Amino acid sequence: MSETKVLVVDDEQGVREYLATVLQDEGFHVQAIASGETLFETLKSYNPNMVLMDYRMPGRGGVELVQSIRNFADYKSLPIIMVTGVAGEDDKVAALEMGADDYVVKPFLPKELSARIRAVLRRVQEEPTEPEPVLQNNGLAVDVKSHTVTLDGEEVHLTLTEFKILSELLKQKGQVLSRDKLRQKALGNLNVTDRTIDVHMASLRKKLTRCGDDIQTVRGVGYRMSLH
């Protein structure tokens, strides 16, 4: 099995060195850079399996860099985890909406970070056991194999987690899915709160524009994709 490569982007040398040591001890191969200036050059040359991104950096911050990464077709499914000391709910929402797949607040236990990385990577590596048809509803089309989403023929750019949530809702449209079920299917059983699921759902609805309201909240239970 090939070694998992993690790219660390953080402007503080001490943090870069600490993360490199922690992740290498956990069996990952690590490369670290200090800013976004060489990000795309490094992505191309290093071809990482995962990016750990600091939230606040001089110049282009983490949220802006995540958005830039998601604008490139080659990297729209590249797993990205924010690792930061910024714990505010608004900051977390901004990071998730721009395309981060998870958000880890310092201080953290090395084992926790490693577990979150592996959980996100498992979601990337999961392949359907057999070819699945394009999932469709009210002008919305999700191609599971090519990992593309279109609405009325226009591509919609989703994070990996949002794609997983939407796919699950469409596979079982008309049925109510609990937050626990969505956590299991889309977040790999990460120890995340209901609020995190709700944040992903709010971002997904926003990106789906006119179809956003097709995702219905069933109070006290979960979410359902309405039938059309």
Side-chain angles (χ1 to χ4, degrees):
M1 183 177 178
S2 61
E3 197 170 25
T4 299
K5 296 189 292 185
V6 178
L7 175 63
V8 173
V9 186
D10 197 297
D11 63 298
E12 296 186 25
Q13 182 177 350
V15 174
R16 294 197 303 274
E17 293 175 350
Y18 173 72
L19 286 173
T21 299
V22 164
L23 295 175
Q24 287 166 357
D25 288 345
E26 290 294 322
F28 298 104
H29 186 278
V30 183
Q31 183 165 330
I33 58 177
S35 72
E37 293 183 7
T38 60
L39 175 61
F40 287 96
E41 178 183 333
T42 307
L43 287 175
K44 185 175 181 180
S45 61
Y46 185 52
N47 192 26
N49 306 104
M50 163 72 66
V51 175
L52 299 186
M53 182 85 67
D54 187 28
Y55 189 92
R56 287 180 176 166
M57 293 181 286
R60 301 181 71 190
V63 171
E64 183 183 351
L65 289 172
V66 170
Q67 187 175 28
S68 296
I69 290 172
R70 294 301 184 222
N71 287 334
F72 282 81
D74 290 346
Y75 304 125
K76 67 180 181 179
S77 299
L78 177 65
I80 303 172
I81 296 178
M82 285 286 190
V83 181
T84 177
V86 180
E89 190 70 28
D90 289 343
D91 296 312
K92 182 175 183 179
V93 169
L96 294 174
E97 285 186 340
M98 287 303 102
D101 296 292
D102 201 0
Y103 192 99
V104 180
V105 179
K106 305 170 189 173
F108 54 83
L109 295 174
K111 293 290 185 183
E112 176 195 0
L113 179 59
S114 176
R116 285 180 177 268
I117 291 173
R118 290 193 166 95
V120 173
L121 288 173
R122 278 197 300 272
R123 304 205 308 270
V124 176
Q125 294 163 358
E126 285 178 355
E127 294 291 340
T129 55
E130 57 184 44
E132 297 188 51
V134 175
L135 306 168
Q136 300 187 57
N137 193 62
N138 193 20
L140 185 65
V142 175
D143 190 320
V144 177
K145 187 173 182 180
S146 67
H147 204 279
T148 56
V149 178
T150 58
L151 177 60
D152 299 329
E154 297 291 328
E155 186 170 4
V156 180
H157 298 283
L158 302 182
T159 68
L160 174 63
T161 299
E162 291 164 354
F163 183 87
K164 290 278 191 178
I165 289 173
L166 180 59
S167 297
E168 201 61 32
L169 288 168
L170 284 171
K171 287 175 187 176
Q172 302 186 57
K173 59 184 177 180
Q175 301 181 41
V176 180
L177 299 181
S178 68
R179 289 178 176 83
D180 284 341
K181 180 75 170 180
L182 290 169
R183 234 189 309 268
Q184 177 185 6
K185 291 292 185 178
L187 291 169
N189 279 322
L190 284 179
N191 184 26
V192 298
T193 65
D194 286 351
R195 171 61 178 158
T196 301
I197 294 291
D198 294 340
V199 166
H200 283 298
M201 200 65 71
S203 176
L204 178 58
R205 282 169 163 160
K206 183 177 179 181
K207 292 179 181 180
L208 294 182
T209 59
R210 69 168 184 81
C211 282
D213 290 339
D214 291 345
I215 302 176
Q216 302 171 341
T217 301
V218 181
R219 191 173 299 278
V221 183
Y223 295 94
R224 171 179 57 210
M225 175 65 76
S226 62
L227 295 169
H228 285 275

